[in-house]
Amino acid sequence: MNNLKILQKYIETKYRTGLKTEEQLRNFQNARITKHMQFVLQHSVFYKNMYQPYMNEVSSQQWEQLPIIDKKIMMEHFDSLNTAGITKEQAFQVAFEAERTRNFSPTIHNITIGLSSGTSGNRGLFLVSKEERYLWAGSILAKVLPASILNKQKIAFFLRANSNLYETTKNKRISFHFFDLLDYFETHIKRLNEIRPTILIAPPSMLRKIAEWKEEGHIHIAPKKVISVAEVLEDLDKEYMQSVFGQVVHQIYQCTEGFLATTCKQGTLHMNEDLVYIDKEYVDKGRGVFIPIITDFSRKTQPIVRYRLNDLLIEKKQPCSCGSPFLALERIDGRCDDVFIGREKTTAKEISLFPDFIRRAVMLAAADIEEFKVIQHPNLFIEVKLKIKRDDNRLSIENAVGEELYRLWRDAGCEKPTIFYSEYAILPSEKKLKRIERILS
Ligand SMILES: [Zn+2]
């Protein structure tokens, strides 16, 4: 643990001036990427080979002309892409052993191995050096802490424990209390009451549960800042938590690939364009829906350059009133894999229905819905789970949701889908909660 390194990054991120306009931001990014490219082209055999025919584009800073990679390509070329000389086989072995024994410090020569979620055979491996861990902690603290680093903070962090990435920050002023999502609820309640965190960071499904405990009088905490991570924050959950905690619920959008976005004072999500460069691959330009292609300026162990994520984001049409030149988002829509499929009536062609449509259809149907989950199964049947305030009007609310979904499919020119309803019995757990999910197989 190296407090100085974290502090350095903290100050650099927090007090970075001169990024007020779009032009300043672009110049800053170009300088960072150029410097980073020199390192990548020298040390990563994979990128060096791939970019060989693109040296003109590299020297003229036309990053958007460079080839794109994704998780699949990264995993295929894992051994030659990383600059630490670690093989995929070695890394998997260490990561699986750590998962099995729930030892969260899987490392090879001081490089932390992280395993990203995904179906078996589709899991990603991530390598982070000690130095990069400090940078990560410093920039997160800078973006997340409500006041100066000199104020005392007790941070409660609920996460799936799959690497020691999150155990970096502990000093006299900032204490970092790690909560394993697998622990019993009683344990969480007891610890929360003991610690009384000033900052609460958790997936929204867990935050919602904590808000319920607070409302029911089981816990007595008054955090100064509440931050949602790791799952898509739905407006429904956000509004409930904001009413219980009496404050804006903030968001961190971060994944194994990088620390990508944080909310400003206004509660608007802004991409961290001082840390990553983002290209947009539009899937619906009119509505501003895009897939981000990211380039991290500082990851050297496993360079993430022109890497397409599996996420759908929606950009904000109007600039945020906070004045930040960083790209403002309307919301994180969901995973690309969770786009629902409709069958076009005459041609049977597959039509994409974005999570945002599904979400809005449910929300339009009835005000009495407390929680929901909509699943599309491999046979394209749709399963709807609703938690409703008063159960006596369940049937009419289910029908209303069904009608909204039928309308959505009809407006898209699709065949009427088969919808069925089942009990809502979902509790926060190790598994990420997706309110809109497509099961592929
Ligand atoms: Zn803003």
Side-chain angles (χ1 to χ4, degrees):
M1 158 83 191
N2 187 331
N3 287 337
L4 199 65
K5 283 256 170 60
I6 296 175
L7 190 66
Q8 232 169 24
K9 185 67 186 175
Y10 171 86
I11 290 167
E12 189 195 314
T13 310
K14 186 119 183 164
Y15 304 105
R16 183 178 283 132
T17 49
L19 292 185
K20 301 261 190 305
T21 67
E22 182 108 19
E23 196 195 345
Q24 288 168 337
L25 176 61
R26 295 304 154 225
N27 290 339
F28 169 83
Q29 289 188 324
N30 280 333
R32 285 293 163 113
I33 302 170
T34 301
K35 189 164 170 250
H36 191 54
M37 276 297 190
Q38 284 169 358
F39 173 88
V40 171
L41 290 173
Q42 202 178 345
H43 295 92
S44 166
V45 174
F46 168 76
Y47 282 112
K48 193 173 152 189
N49 291 341
M50 186 168 65
Y51 289 158
Q52 211 64 70
Y54 295 90
M55 291 325 286
N56 280 337
E57 284 79 0
V58 171
S59 55
S60 56
Q61 303 185 324
Q62 291 176 282
W63 318 121
E64 70 287 348
Q65 301 296 327
L66 299 176
I68 295 167
I69 65 161
D70 56 17
K71 186 156 94 178
K72 192 166 166 278
I73 297 174
M74 186 198 72
M75 288 306 289
E76 274 167 16
H77 301 275
F78 184 90
D79 300 3
S80 63
L81 189 147
N82 83 74
T83 62
I86 294 174
T87 68
K88 188 156 72 175
E89 203 185 340
Q90 266 177 311
F92 262 128
Q93 206 172 18
V94 172
F96 281 139
E97 179 62 15
E99 286 236 321
R100 200 181 57 76
T101 56
R102 297 193 69 69
N103 150 32
F104 307 125
S105 315
T107 53
I108 302 175
H109 322 303
N110 266 330
I111 307 270
T112 301
I113 317 287
L115 207 49
S116 80
S117 55
T119 46
S120 62
N122 189 27
R123 299 188 77 175
L125 270 174
F126 290 87
L127 305 176
V128 184
S129 72
K130 229 178 192 161
E131 175 93 10
E132 288 163 331
R133 235 152 56 214
Y134 298 141
L135 296 180
W136 174 84
S139 41
I140 282 227
L141 288 176
K143 300 241 179 202
V144 157
L145 285 188
S148 156
I149 200 168
L150 301 174
N151 289 20
K152 221 174 163 175
Q153 300 291 355
K154 288 187 278 184
I155 306 175
F157 205 153
F158 286 76
L159 269 186
R160 179 174 182 268
N162 65 348
S163 92
N164 60 5
L165 199 60
Y166 302 107
E167 288 176 10
T168 310
T169 21
K170 248 177 228 151
N171 67 28
K172 269 176 246 150
R173 293 206 172 78
I174 298 168
S175 57
F176 220 68
H177 304 268
F178 184 77
F179 288 69
D180 187 343
L181 285 169
L182 278 184
D183 266 347
Y184 293 113
F185 285 170
E186 293 76 29
T187 315
H188 292 330
I189 291 174
K190 194 165 160 273
R191 284 188 68 206
L192 282 170
N193 278 327
E194 280 165 10
I195 295 162
R196 304 209 174 203
T198 57
I199 301 178
L200 192 56
I201 308 177
S205 55
M206 192 67 225
L207 281 181
R208 193 183 167 103
K209 201 74 209 154
I210 297 170
E212 284 172 14
W213 293 335
K214 186 170 160 63
E215 207 181 20
E216 291 159 6
H218 299 303
I219 54 168
H220 311 280
I221 60 169
K224 291 197 195 92
K225 193 162 183 177
V226 177
I227 303 162
S228 156
V229 289
E231 295 169 356
V232 171
L233 177 64
E234 299 288 344
D235 289 345
L236 187 80
D237 296 315
K238 185 161 83 176
E239 278 154 28
Y240 172 69
M241 293 182 285
Q242 293 191 156
S243 76
V244 174
F245 291 111
Q247 58 190 296
V248 169
V249 168
H250 286 272
Q251 288 180 73
I252 291 177
Y253 168 36
Q254 90 116 36
C255 49
T256 24
E257 287 91 343
F259 175 32
L260 301 176
T262 22
T263 41
C264 65
K265 282 196 186 93
Q266 258 75 30
T268 304
L269 261 177
H270 289 274
M271 300 296 293
N272 294 328
E273 291 190 270
D274 53 342
L275 308 171
V276 281
Y277 163 69
I278 290 123
D279 260 325
K280 296 179 241 177
E281 186 180 302
Y282 283 104
V283 286
D284 183 341
K285 197 153 188 180
R287 289 178 51 254
V289 186
F290 69 96
I291 299 169
I293 294 158
I294 61 166
T295 299
D296 192 310
F297 309 150
S298 53
R299 282 196 44 180
K300 291 185 168 162
T301 312
Q302 187 181 28
I304 302 282
V305 180
R306 300 275 294 153
Y307 181 102
R308 183 198 282 110
L309 290 172
N310 187 27
D311 289 348
L312 287 170
L313 312 183
I314 305 180
E315 63 189 348
K316 222 175 165 62
K317 287 274 147 69
Q318 264 77 40
C320 179
S321 59
C322 74
S324 165
F326 297 176
L327 179 68
L329 299 179
E330 198 58 58
R331 60 157 57 256
I332 294 159
D333 198 24
R335 305 286 280 177
C336 299
D337 301 337
D338 291 317
V339 172
F340 281 27
I341 297 295
R343 283 226 186 277
E344 217 264 334
K345 255 181 193 153
T346 44
T347 61
K349 205 179 100 196
E350 288 192 350
I351 305 277
S352 300
L353 296 153
F354 295 113
D356 204 37
F357 291 143
I358 314 294
R359 174 182 299 124
R360 266 192 274 177
V362 176
M363 297 321 299
L364 274 174
D368 272 358
I369 297 170
E370 283 189 308
E371 294 190 61
F372 68 90
K373 181 164 174 113
V374 186
I375 303 160
Q376 185 167 44
H377 289 276
N379 59 6
L380 301 191
F381 285 13
I382 292 164
E383 181 176 0
V384 177
K385 295 168 175 290
L386 300 175
K387 189 172 153 197
I388 298 166
K389 273 187 195 128
R390 290 176 21 246
D391 229 19
D392 51 347
N393 54 359
R394 167 169 295 276
L395 208 60
S396 70
I397 291 177
E398 284 181 349
N399 283 335
V401 170
E403 280 311 315
E404 285 300 332
L405 289 172
Y406 290 142
R407 191 202 313 270
L408 177 56
W409 260 248
R410 196 168 59 230
D411 290 350
C414 294
E415 280 169 29
K416 190 174 174 176
T418 303
I419 300 175
F420 66 101
Y421 303 88
S422 66
E423 193 196 350
Y424 186 98
I426 302 166
L427 288 173
S429 69
E430 184 185 38
K431 200 173 175 302
K432 277 190 187 187
L433 172 62
K434 294 199 243 177
R435 298 224 177 266
I436 296 148
E437 181 171 17
R438 185 164 161 238
I439 297 171
L440 293 170
S441 56

